[in-house]
Structures are given as C-alpha cells and as structure tokens.
Amino acid sequence: MPRRPGLSARLKLTLSYAGFLAVAGALLLAVVWVFLLRYVPDNSKGLLGISPNRYLLVRTFAPAAAVAMAFLLVFGLAGGWILAGRMLAPLTQITDATRKAGNGSLSHRIRMKGRQDEFRELSDAFDSMLQRLESHVAEQQRFAANASHELRTPLAISRTLLDVARKDPTRDRDELIERLHAVNTRAIDLTEALLLLGRGDRGDFRRESVDLSLVAEEAAETLLPLAEQRRITLDVTGGAARTSGSAELLLRMVTNLVQNAVVHNLPSGGTVTVRTEEHGDTSVLRVENTGRRLPPDLVATLTEPFRRGTDRVRTDEHAGVGLGLAIVDSIVRAHDGTLDLAARPTGGLLVTVRLPATRPA
C-alpha cells in the first residue's frame, strides 16, 4: 500500500542516540549544580575566605559546560549514525532478499554470518521460508505440468477415435462408443481426483467426530467385491479410533488406501489387513498388504502426484490416475496428521496414518 515518506529507521536511531547523550549530559550538569555549586557561598570572600565565590565558578563553568553539551550532541549524531548503520546492516540484507523474492527470485538466500542474535534468527527463518516456498512452487509447477499431460491424453485419444470414425464410416459404432465411454470416464475420474486433491490442500471443510473403525468397515464393504474378484483376503480389525475431521474426506482416504492395497497385491492369494486403534492422544490407522518387494527409494516417492512407480503400474481397469496416495497425503496433512509408508520385508506395503484423537462427548 502507498505510504507517505517519513524518517528512516537509521535517522530515528541516530536522533535517539544523540538525544539520549544530550539528556544524560544535562542531567550530569544538573547534578553538579544541585550537589556542588549551590553550596558555594555567593559573597566576595567565597568559601572559607579563600575559594572563589559562586558567581566566579558559574562564569567559569558555564562556557565549558556549553562546549561539552555541543560536543556531546555532535558526538551523539555522528556516533549514532555510524552505530545505527552497523546495527541495521543485517536488516538491509534481509530487505534486499525480500525484494528479490518479490520479483520471483526464490533461489536467493541470505546466509547471514556471525553469532546468533535477533537479526540472524530472522535471517535463518526467512531462508527457511524461501526454501519451503521454492520447493512448494516447484512442486506446483510439476503438478500443473503433469496434470496438463494427464488431461491431454484422454482428450487426444478421443480426438483420434473420432477422426478414425469420420474417415471410416463402416467402423463398428458400438466399439467406438465403448472406447469413448472408457476414455471419458478416465478423464472424469482424473478431474474429480484433482478437485479432491485441491480441496484437501485448502483444508476448508467442516469438522465433526469420526470413528476411523467405522470408516474402515465401510470402505472394506465397498471394496469387498473387488477383493473377492482378485482372490484377496480383506480383513478389518481393531477398536474405535475417533478423530475430528471431514467424514467424506476420511472415507476417501481409507478407500484409496484399501483399493491401493487390493490392486497392488499378489495375483491371487494375497491379504489386506486394516487395523484401527488409539494410542493416547493419537488415532492410528494401519493398512498392510502383501505383494512384490518395493525398493525404499520407490516408497519415498509414492505420495508424489502422478507417481506410480515401475513395479506398481497397472494396465487394467484399476490402473488409476496416479493420485491415490497423493490424495491420501493431502487429506492427512489437512487433518493435522502424519502418513508413513514402509516396505514390508516379505513384500508389500505398510501404510500408517496417525491423526489427533478426540474423545466422545
């Protein structure tokens, strides 16, 4: 916002230093007058008949006091200007870095040297903020690029199918309609996933008491036909685990985890175990499944948007859009929780969600 020009902080500090010295000098002169000169006799003989009288002392002391006051004022202005400049030099560095960041240069860092003080603490906090902001912007740019690519793919396929149908009128229309329906469904699923991911990142939802054990049972019941189709044993155990949040988002979180555990499992004979429990002030949800062994470096990237991993790509109708665990991570963070992924030694994945627990009213 526009502001009227005013005195700089350096000039204000300089005037403060000079004013402080002037006041201190005046107080010193006042002390000399009160405790010394006022007790000198004001007569021709002076003190004990041998010392100068008050009149002579004042005539002698006043010019020297005026010179001392002038020196203090000049010294205060000059010294204050230098000291203020040295004290505000770190602030100038921070201001320059702020301007560069405002112009879009997020890679700049202050890295202020010296021992720890308030300015260094502010500088370190600003550097940390720039680092997080740069990482967030880079992540958003990658996400936008990936989202554009993923959305462009079904549109390009639809256009190709329509072009082929236009050039070949004898082509089977039922097959064309079926393929267009599948491509359109995938585009709709991707769009809904993107909207849900954005909603989870914003955190603008109404909170209510939710029992994760009931949510897990509902998600398991919904995905039971898929598990039976793939001959996967789906088991839900544990006790009540209450938390505060959006029932819809938490249901989507558990559904994504269970579906991910069912799809990325053994071809047959695999298991998926969902367990809920409370540990003090934390509600815990664990989803564990069998499957192929996963390298640790792959597990660390599974929550990135559109990240599927070489060993986890599917080509069937449950291939997904690469946002399942990214949505889970977004929902967990929006509910002030933590998400941990760990590869099982025998194969598969163990996902642990920890959310703040609430007590029933």
Side-chain angles (χ1 to χ4, degrees):
M1 60 179 295
R3 301 178 186 272
R4 293 184 300 173
L7 299 178
S8 64
R10 186 176 186 180
L11 182 57
K12 291 179 181 178
L13 288 176
T14 299
L15 296 177
S16 300
Y17 295 152
F20 177 79
L21 282 178
V23 172
L27 290 176
L28 183 60
L29 293 178
V31 168
V32 172
W33 170 257
V34 171
F35 292 98
L36 181 59
L37 294 181
R38 65 178 299 184
Y39 295 108
V40 176
D42 191 12
N43 52 47
S44 59
K45 295 183 180 181
L47 183 61
L48 301 178
I50 58 175
S51 301
N53 58 25
R54 186 189 305 174
Y55 174 76
L56 293 177
L57 287 177
V58 171
R59 289 286 302 272
T60 305
F61 181 72
V67 172
M69 288 295 298
F71 173 77
L72 286 177
L73 184 59
V74 174
F75 179 78
L77 290 173
W81 182 261
I82 296 174
L83 290 176
R86 292 178 60 87
M87 290 294 297
L88 295 178
L91 190 60
T92 303
Q93 291 182 255
I94 298 174
T95 303
D96 293 340
T98 304
R99 290 198 180 99
K100 291 181 180 179
N103 293 329
S105 176
L106 300 179
S107 60
H108 178 73
R109 299 292 183 270
I110 303 174
R111 295 188 177 93
M112 191 175 297
K113 300 180 180 180
R115 296 186 178 182
Q116 185 71 11
D117 58 14
E118 288 80 358
F119 286 115
R120 273 71 181 177
E121 185 177 358
L122 177 61
S123 170
D124 294 341
F126 190 79
D127 284 345
S128 300
M129 182 195 68
L130 283 179
Q131 183 176 358
R132 291 194 299 269
L133 186 59
E134 183 183 18
S135 175
H136 181 70
V137 170
E139 180 182 352
Q140 292 298 319
Q141 290 175 347
R142 291 195 305 269
F143 177 80
N146 291 331
S148 301
H149 174 74
E150 294 285 340
L151 286 172
R152 184 177 59 184
T153 300
L155 295 177
I157 295 175
S158 299
R159 180 179 180 179
T160 302
L161 292 174
L162 292 175
D163 288 342
V164 172
R166 184 175 58 182
K167 295 178 181 179
D168 185 8
T170 61
R171 190 178 181 86
D172 187 0
R173 292 191 174 184
D174 292 338
E175 179 185 358
L176 175 63
I177 293 174
E178 186 65 26
R179 296 186 64 180
L180 284 175
H181 180 268
V183 173
N184 188 56
T185 301
R186 180 174 176 82
I188 292 175
D189 292 341
L190 176 58
T191 304
E192 291 180 348
L194 291 172
L195 293 174
L196 183 61
L197 184 61
R199 181 185 174 190
D201 287 335
R202 292 192 306 268
D204 54 348
F205 50 81
R206 185 176 63 88
R207 292 181 177 268
E208 57 183 311
S209 180
V210 180
D211 190 346
L212 293 180
S213 63
L214 301 180
V215 174
E217 292 178 0
E218 182 178 354
E221 183 178 355
T222 302
L223 295 171
L224 184 60
L226 175 62
E228 293 177 346
Q229 177 186 351
R230 294 172 176 267
R231 287 181 265 181
I232 302 295
T233 303
L234 181 57
D235 187 20
V236 180
T237 62
R242 293 185 176 274
T243 188
S244 176
S246 169
E248 177 187 358
L249 292 179
L250 291 175
L251 177 60
R252 175 58 67 94
M253 176 193 74
V254 180
T255 302
N256 283 8
L257 289 176
V258 177
Q259 181 176 356
N260 188 77
V262 171
V263 172
H264 302 290
N265 211 307
L266 297 175
S268 63
T271 61
V272 175
T273 303
V274 183
R275 181 176 180 82
T276 57
E277 56 188 346
E278 288 187 357
H279 290 294
D281 296 334
T282 305
S283 294
V284 182
L285 169 74
R286 290 189 175 89
V287 180
E288 186 176 7
N289 71 313
T290 54
R292 298 180 180 180
R293 292 186 178 181
L294 301 175
D297 55 343
L298 174 64
V299 174
T301 63
L302 291 179
T303 56
E304 296 181 7
F306 305 106
R307 179 73 178 188
R308 299 181 181 91
T310 305
D311 297 333
R312 298 170 63 81
V313 173
R314 304 289 300 202
T315 58
D316 55 12
E317 69 276 10
H318 295 285
V321 295
L323 290 174
L325 290 179
I327 292 175
V328 170
D329 183 53
S330 175
I331 294 174
V332 171
R333 285 188 285 105
H335 287 77
D336 303 321
T338 59
L339 175 66
D340 296 324
L341 279 67
R344 299 175 70 245
T346 58
L349 191 67
L350 171 61
V351 182
T352 304
V353 177
R354 294 180 175 87
L355 299 174
T358 59
R359 297 289 179 263

